[in-house]
Amino acid sequence: MHNTLTKTTVALRLNQLLAASILLALSTNASAEEYDPNRDQQLLECDRVYDRGNIDLAISCYTPLQRNESLLVAAEATWALGDTNKANELFRLAVKEQPRNPHIRARWGRLFLSTHQPSQAAPLFQEALLIDPNLLHAKTGLAAALLSRPGPEARKLLAEIHIEHPDDVETLLMLARMELETRNLEAADQLLDQALESAENKALSPLDIYALKASADMLRDNEDSEWTKKALEYSPSYGDVFFVPAHYHLINYRYREAVVALRKAVEVQPTHWSAHSQLGVNLLRLNDIEGAKKHLEIAYGGDPFDTATVNTLKLLDTLDEFKDLDTVAMFRLPGDNTADGDNRSVPVVMRLHKDEAQYLSPYVEELTLKAVKSFSERYDFALAEPLIVELFPNHDDFAVRTVSTPGVGLLGVTFGYLLAMDSPSGRPPGEFHWGSTLWHELAHVFTIEKSDHRMPRWFTEGVSVYEEWTTGPLRGRHIPIDVLQAIAEKKLLPVKNLDSGFVRPTYPNQVTVSYMQAGLICDMIGEFWGHEKLTEMLVEFDNRKDTTEAVRTVLGISTAELDRNLQKYIELKLGTVISQFDTWRELLTSMHTAAQSDQWATVVALANQANEIYPEYVGNGSTYLALHEAYESNGNTDRAVDVLETWYDYGGYQPDMLHQLAHRLRDQGRTDRATEVLESINWVSPNNIDLHERLGKDYLNRGDNEAAIREFKALLGLNPHDKSGVYLNIAYAYKNLDNKKLAKRNVLQALEQAPFFREAQDLLVELTGDSL
């Protein structure tokens, strides 16, 4: 919808005395003024001139209204001319002058919406509704503010407004937006047709409706929409007719198409600050750092209130602290000749913080190259562009990199050939399994690109979860307790509507539930229909089929039948815990209560009962760690080790417990098993000096010299106290590999650290005595 902040360039023009006609930026963050039935007639006349693209006339129209005797009119005109700070003060004075006027508060709320502050806008709408519970403009404003939050509140409020005001254009447009987000195009069409009819009857601008109709056409792969032409005929500088469809490209992973649309938006309307901002953000997602900076700086010059712009510009400054490390991934496709010479390759760029690059790069490289090799064959797809993998040690930097806002709970995001995620140090040790996250995101690269960015959200997330469970670096199917509860409470969505669980969740943990449901669907397809069917579905999505059509074509059943099959699959895999969920959870609760008072016999009894119901659970509150503590307290060390091993085999990954398990296994003489457990810690918390030192020595002792070199080099990246000993161990490994040149180099580095290091001196004599 139009946004009166769009007139911010008027202020720039007046301040800079530009002679040429300028265009005013449009945004969709707030409701257009003409949807306000109580708007002053003088302002409406200016709005109509503006809507037709007559900017100079609009400036001349709004300017004298800044001195209007009505503080509200003066505030609106000042806002329209771009001085939002002064407009804010005028609204404040207007409310003080007329504290019982709800319309002024509602309009003030719209100012906050337009400056990207929905949390500040909502209270003003609520205050207006306390004065007049029936004020439509306040209700729709509150709905617009709530749309920025997860949860069902916005949809619920819009449904209520729609019943009371079935022909309200703004309500119809917000409802249509939500239907477009979940690709429910028929419902969106009906709402937009109704909105267009209502707008014509009320003589309202049709531009917002045209932009959403163009978006619907875009979702049908019609990039040459008649509604785009209609919009530009109505107002040649209407950038939103490209900016709004770009939003739907973005939520469907179509970043390149979004960039094309956003370029068109700023071409027809060079002062569309939100379009410049989003263009910059998305050029950065395509690794065009210089192009991103250019458009973000333009956006900031016109709208310094946009947090996405401000945050991303700050992020660009931090990228100087990162190093790009190049490697090459080798792979084959199923139809390729198996001869070694037929390997294909793709460049890989690892973008790591300079403080982490040395110790982290070996593991990022190992897992990335393994994933490319595996997924290329599993999905019969050859990467056509360099793959870029970014890991951020600061979580807020990663959040800004992905969604332009700090504080989000994401772990990783993929933008086609570029993926970004938290590094292991971006979260507290053991809070997440970074290896699984990287594996998950790398699977996205293949599903997104194989389908030409056309697969539904549920499918790409489902495949990535399925790959985590079946081929990733962490054992087991990991399903949180709240997801098990949601399954038990029958909260799963029909697969044809599953995208809505990601885009518009209706309860707090529904996004996580949707991830797990999608993973179970893909797991079921892979097990019962065969993995190749997942690849075939990607082909169908690339052929522009929707979920219903792809399921029918590839699996030969309806989506309703797939839903029924999923219920049977859940009964097969999780039926015991789902049917006894309340009992199982009560056992866990009672077990932990008993552990708090050292009632270890009770802990053992309750834990064993819980494990009879669901032995695979190793998440928060797992029985195994309580059992381990119970057996340790009773002096039954061997049983304690057995319990920890079972926990590890099911996929437990808390680093401190894995270190403890490895230590106990070594005490039992099971060195190889201890090394295996330590290796798994690298995918959870590799920034640990003791870990790499112990692994390096293990590998060196058993003759795995290349692995030893990797571990000792990683150890150097963590700046250990005794670097001389580390260099010496690297030298021994190179000597064992008969690489005397590198062995000598590392001995010399050891002696640089400790000139009187006798063992290093002896090795240097030995190496120098041989021919080099």
Side-chain angles (χ1 to χ4, degrees):
M1 285 159 256
H2 301 160
N3 176 349
T4 46
L5 180 60
T6 64
K7 285 85 174 180
T8 53
T9 50
V10 174
L12 294 176
R13 183 179 191 275
L14 294 174
N15 291 338
Q16 300 170 3
L17 301 177
L18 295 177
S21 176
I22 60 172
L23 303 177
L24 302 171
L26 292 171
S27 177
T28 58
N29 293 327
S31 177
E33 58 271 20
E34 56 262 38
Y35 298 142
D36 176 9
N38 298 315
R39 189 161 175 81
D40 185 273
Q41 186 62 37
Q42 299 171 90
L43 292 167
L44 282 173
E45 291 175 4
C46 300
D47 297 341
R48 294 185 187 112
V49 173
Y50 166 72
D51 277 341
R52 286 293 187 172
N54 297 319
I55 307 304
D56 285 331
L57 289 176
I59 293 169
S60 299
C61 185
Y62 286 119
T63 299
L65 296 181
Q66 292 183 103
R67 299 182 296 275
N68 194 278
E69 61 182 14
S70 165
L71 285 172
L72 175 59
V73 171
E76 296 276 10
T78 303
W79 176 12
L81 291 168
D83 191 345
T84 52
N85 287 327
K86 185 176 179 181
N88 181 57
E89 184 57 31
L90 288 169
F91 274 118
R92 187 186 310 278
L93 293 172
V95 167
K96 186 176 180 180
E97 181 181 77
Q98 300 182 59
R100 297 299 299 170
N101 186 326
H103 180 247
I104 297 175
R105 293 178 188 271
R107 291 305 299 166
W108 195 7
R110 299 286 175 153
L111 174 65
F112 279 107
L113 277 183
S114 74
T115 53
H116 322 287
Q117 301 177 79
S119 62
Q120 300 297 317
L124 286 165
F125 296 128
Q126 291 165 338
E127 290 170 12
L129 290 169
L130 286 175
I131 299 169
D132 181 359
N134 298 315
L135 184 60
L136 175 60
H137 195 57
K139 287 184 178 180
T140 53
L142 180 57
L146 294 174
L147 280 173
S148 65
R149 308 176 187 174
E153 291 84 2
R155 183 178 286 276
K156 181 180 178 182
L157 178 56
L158 284 170
E160 293 173 358
I161 298 171
H162 186 45
I163 292 172
E164 297 172 0
H165 306 276
D167 63 344
D168 179 64
V169 174
E170 186 179 8
T171 302
L172 292 166
L173 292 182
M174 283 190 278
L175 288 169
R177 287 178 186 278
M178 290 193 292
E179 299 298 347
L180 290 173
E181 286 176 347
T182 55
R183 298 178 63 86
N184 191 353
L185 300 184
E186 290 185 5
D189 287 340
Q190 293 175 2
L191 290 163
L192 291 173
D193 287 343
Q194 189 178 350
L196 186 57
E197 180 181 356
S198 182
E200 290 171 349
N201 292 337
K202 298 176 182 178
L204 299 177
S205 168
L207 286 174
D208 295 341
I209 304 166
Y210 290 168
L212 288 175
K213 279 187 165 289
S215 300
D217 280 351
M218 178 277 295
L219 289 169
R220 294 186 173 94
D221 292 304
N222 175 12
E223 298 288 349
D224 188 27
S225 173
E226 64 174 306
W227 301 104
T228 303
K229 298 171 186 175
K230 285 178 179 290
L232 294 177
E233 288 171 359
Y234 191 95
S235 180
S237 59
Y238 181 60
D240 263 17
V241 77
F242 299 111
F243 178 74
V244 174
H247 166 74
Y248 297 99
H249 278 309
L250 291 174
I251 65 174
N252 286 286
Y253 304 100
R254 302 177 196 172
Y255 304 104
R256 293 181 184 84
E257 292 93 333
V259 164
V260 171
L262 290 166
R263 287 192 189 279
K264 291 179 180 178
V266 299
E267 180 181 347
V268 302
Q269 190 172 358
T271 53
H272 193 316
W273 311 130
S274 293
H276 278 292
S277 177
Q278 284 301 303
L279 180 53
V281 167
N282 286 285
L283 286 171
L284 188 57
R285 290 168 174 170
L286 300 181
N287 203 40
D288 182 354
I289 296 174
E290 289 305 313
K293 184 176 181 181
K294 170 188 170 183
H295 286 282
L296 287 164
E297 288 177 344
I298 292 172
Y300 181 77
D303 180 8
F305 297 101
D306 191 332
T307 55
T309 303
V310 174
N311 290 335
T312 310
L313 280 171
K314 289 179 180 178
L315 173 70
L316 284 173
D317 291 337
T318 70
L319 291 183
D320 292 338
E321 301 172 4
F322 285 71
K323 295 176 64 175
D324 282 3
L325 305 175
D326 298 329
T327 187
V328 175
M330 309 299 293
F331 64 93
R332 296 190 187 95
L333 299 185
D336 289 345
N337 188 293
T338 57
D340 289 342
D342 289 330
N343 275 335
R344 306 188 190 200
S345 65
V346 63
V348 175
V349 178
M350 298 176 290
R351 185 167 291 149
L352 307 176
H353 194 276
K354 61 185 180 182
D355 293 339
E356 297 189 329
Q358 185 171 346
Y359 82 80
L360 194 54
S361 60
Y363 311 106
V364 176
E365 181 175 20
E366 177 184 336
L367 203 60
T368 300
L369 301 192
K370 180 180 178 182
V372 170
K373 181 179 179 181
S374 174
F375 296 149
S376 297
E377 182 173 350
R378 285 171 68 78
Y379 294 99
D380 193 16
F381 182 76
L383 297 180
E385 297 179 19
L387 175 62
I388 300 167
V389 179
E390 297 179 348
L391 275 75
F392 288 82
N394 183 303
H395 174 72
D396 281 345
D397 285 345
F398 156 68
V400 171
R401 178 69 171 96
T402 54
V403 295
S404 306
T405 303
V408 298
L410 298 170
L411 295 173
V413 176
T414 300
F415 304 113
Y417 283 97
L418 185 150
L419 69 89
M421 57 176 282
D422 280 325
S423 83
S425 59
R427 300 275 180 140
E431 186 172 292
F432 84 119
H433 194 279
W434 77 269
S436 290
T437 299
L438 179 55
W439 196 262
H440 178 109
E441 298 305 326
L442 287 164
H444 275 313
V445 174
F446 286 82
T447 54
I448 290 172
E449 295 300 330
K450 170 86 174 176
S451 68
D452 191 26
H453 297 231
R454 302 293 167 162
M455 77 286 113
R457 182 176 295 267
W458 77 264
F459 189 80
T460 187
E461 297 296 356
V463 167
S464 286
V465 172
Y466 155 74
E467 291 291 354
E468 277 190 69
W469 291 345
T470 57
T471 64
L474 180 65
R475 294 174 172 85
R477 183 190 293 112
H478 296 265
I479 301 179
I481 288 180
D482 56 355
V483 175
L484 295 171
Q485 181 175 351
I487 295 173
E489 293 174 354
K490 302 187 184 303
K491 288 185 175 180
L492 299 187
L493 292 168
V495 66
K496 67 178 182 180
N497 299 329
L498 186 49
D499 272 10
S500 66
F502 295 94
V503 179
R504 285 290 172 189
T506 58
Y507 54 90
N509 66 329
Q510 189 172 14
V511 173
T512 303
V513 173
S514 299
Y515 269 91
M516 295 297 104
Q517 180 183 350
L520 286 166
I521 293 171
C522 293
D523 199 29
M524 173 183 68
I525 292 171
E527 183 171 347
F528 289 153
W529 278 272
H531 171 80
E532 66 278 2
K533 294 298 182 183
L534 296 171
T535 301
E536 291 176 23
M537 289 185 73
L538 286 171
V539 173
E540 294 304 314
F541 293 133
D542 184 25
N543 291 333
R544 310 311 192 246
K545 299 288 182 65
D546 62 15
T547 292
T548 300
E549 295 168 323
V551 168
R552 173 67 71 183
T553 301
V554 175
L555 304 182
I557 60 174
S558 67
T559 54
E561 290 174 282
L562 185 64
D563 292 333
R564 289 192 289 272
N565 277 302
L566 177 62
Q567 291 303 317
K568 295 177 183 177
Y569 189 70
I570 289 172
E571 289 174 11
L572 177 65
K573 300 294 183 180
L574 301 168
T576 303
V577 66
I578 296 303
S579 63
Q580 301 181 59
F581 178 78
D582 290 338
T583 299
W584 176 72
R585 194 162 190 178
E586 287 173 8
L587 287 168
L588 292 183
T589 301
S590 299
M591 178 196 70
H592 287 295
T593 300
Q596 290 171 0
S597 55
D598 297 340
Q599 299 177 42
W600 301 119
T602 302
V603 168
V604 171
L606 293 171
N608 287 331
Q609 290 180 57
N611 285 343
E612 288 179 6
I613 297 174
Y614 191 35
E616 297 92 346
Y617 183 70
V618 293
N620 291 334
S622 167
T623 59
Y624 294 106
L625 301 187
L627 274 173
H628 170 264
E629 188 176 4
Y631 289 128
E632 284 280 344
S633 298
N634 294 332
N636 193 343
T637 304
D638 289 343
R639 190 72 186 95
V641 174
D642 290 343
V643 166
L644 271 191
E645 248 192 301
T646 302
W647 167 81
Y648 164 70
D649 286 335
Y650 277 131
Y653 61 83
Q654 279 184 246
D656 56 340
M657 301 308 297
L658 291 174
H659 276 289
Q660 190 173 154
L661 173 59
H663 176 72
R664 290 299 177 84
L665 290 169
R666 200 177 300 278
D667 287 345
Q668 293 180 351
R670 300 167 64 191
T671 305
D672 287 347
R673 180 67 161 167
T675 301
E676 175 193 326
V677 172
L678 287 178
E679 286 171 342
S680 72
I681 301 176
N682 275 329
W683 309 117
V684 188
S685 186
N687 48 340
N688 183 290
I689 288 177
D690 292 340
L691 169 66
H692 298 295
E693 184 175 25
R694 181 68 265 172
L695 275 175
K697 290 178 179 178
D698 281 353
Y699 290 135
L700 196 59
N701 289 335
R702 71 186 193 189
D704 192 345
N705 294 290
E706 290 182 351
I709 291 168
R710 179 195 67 196
E711 293 300 323
F712 288 130
K713 285 186 174 180
L715 178 57
L716 287 173
L718 291 167
N719 196 27
H721 177 69
D722 180 19
K723 290 184 180 179
S724 58
V726 181
Y727 281 119
L728 181 62
N729 282 324
I730 296 174
Y732 279 127
Y734 277 123
K735 176 179 175 290
N736 294 339
L737 291 169
D738 203 27
N739 190 332
K740 296 178 182 178
K741 182 178 179 180
L742 289 178
K744 181 180 176 181
R745 180 183 300 172
N746 279 277
V747 168
L748 291 173
Q749 287 178 306
L751 289 170
E752 283 181 12
Q753 299 290 323
F756 302 106
F757 189 3
R758 183 59 180 269
E759 190 176 353
Q761 292 174 338
D762 291 343
L763 182 58
L764 179 61
V765 170
E766 180 183 347
L767 292 168
T768 305
D770 294 334
S771 58
L772 296 177

